[in-house]
Amino acid sequence: MNQPLYAVYGASGCGRGIMPFARAQLAREGLSADRIVFVDDGAGTAAINGHRVLRYADFLKEPASLRRIVIAIADSKIREGLFNRCIADGVHAWSVFAANIVVMDDVILGEGAALSPFVTITSNIQIGKGFHANLYSCVEHDCVIGDFVTFAPGVRCNGNIRIEDHAYIGAGAIIKQGRPGKPLIIGRGAVVGMGAIVTRDVPPGSTVVGNPARLHFLKD
């Protein structure tokens, strides 16, 4: 009888960082490590870190009672495209969590999340699809986070914050707490630079850097 087959889509740094806790999650569910693979059309090798690497088309052909996948691609637009492609092909979104994360009360978490070691999500929080929270990131109370948002390591997202789809929050960034009924807003597709201290709303599609964070304009 065929068993489920699980995959980490992407064998670069993001995928290799997710694979160990994805594998451990399967072990906690009583499944062996040979039921999880990397999917990567451009890896150019048959195995990485003890796991087979399959092209996407070959992953779809593998005998399995069902297929589940987490998209380990840092670029959120590519992540969304691959997520939707997998769903259209009958592959189920898979959320993977390190064993030592903390998730408190009334948290709604969308499909396909990847929560790395030491992530904390407190209470009364809503998070969309394809969320990546890297090492030591935290989300405080009463936050709303959209689809395909990425937190680099060590992000501090304080309470009453709204982060819209495809935003990227850089390593070590701190977002000031908003107020009930008037959340601090990080706009759709915005980028918060590494180590930035965000004290006010960030417009959609913009990049902010520094302390306090200010708009960054690229020079020609």
Side-chain angles (χ1 to χ4, degrees):
M1 181 177 177
N2 290 333
Q3 291 184 310
L5 183 63
Y6 293 78
V8 174
Y9 201 137
S12 62
C14 182
R16 286 181 277 116
I18 286 173
M19 177 60 85
F21 62 86
R23 180 179 62 235
Q25 180 171 311
L26 284 192
R28 293 194 298 273
E29 296 171 3
L31 293 173
S32 62
D34 65 359
R35 300 311 299 167
I36 183 170
V37 300
F38 285 109
V39 169
D40 195 313
D41 286 348
T45 184
I48 294 176
N49 293 349
H51 292 275
R52 289 188 298 152
V53 181
L54 302 179
R55 295 178 63 83
Y56 181 69
D58 294 328
F59 172 67
L60 295 180
K61 294 175 184 176
E62 282 276 313
S65 58
L66 67 98
R67 293 174 182 80
R68 303 191 71 188
I69 200 163
V70 59
I71 312 298
I73 303 293
D75 186 303
S76 68
K77 294 291 182 66
I78 296 174
R79 188 156 82 237
E80 180 180 28
L82 294 174
F83 182 99
N84 291 335
R85 177 188 184 189
C86 289
I87 297 301
D89 289 335
V91 180
H92 298 267
W94 182 32
S95 294
V96 295
F97 312 124
N100 62 355
I101 67 167
V102 175
V103 178
M104 298 183 187
D105 293 336
D106 195 18
V107 172
I108 299 171
L109 184 63
E111 295 180 312
L115 306 186
S116 295
F118 306 104
V119 164
T120 298
I121 299 176
T122 68
S123 299
N124 305 96
I125 292 163
Q126 182 175 331
I127 301 174
K129 297 179 291 188
F131 179 55
H132 280 191
N134 279 282
L135 297 160
Y136 292 99
S137 293
C138 73
V139 182
E140 263 289 1
H141 63 88
D142 300 299
C143 287
V144 177
I145 297 175
D147 294 338
F148 304 103
V149 170
T150 304
F151 281 12
V155 168
R156 295 291 180 263
C157 176
N158 289 293
N160 287 297
I161 293 165
R162 189 171 85 225
I163 302 179
E164 296 179 347
D165 299 351
H166 293 286
Y168 178 90
I169 315 299
I174 299 173
I175 308 174
K176 179 184 177 181
Q177 181 167 321
R179 299 195 300 274
K182 190 174 175 53
L184 189 150
I185 299 172
I186 308 295
R188 179 183 174 90
V191 175
V192 174
M194 180 186 298
I197 309 297
V198 180
T199 60
R200 62 183 67 184
D201 292 354
V202 177
S206 64
T207 297
V208 296
V209 298
N211 178 12
R214 293 185 173 88
L215 290 172
H216 176 63
F217 298 98
L218 295 176
K219 296 181 180 179
D220 293 335

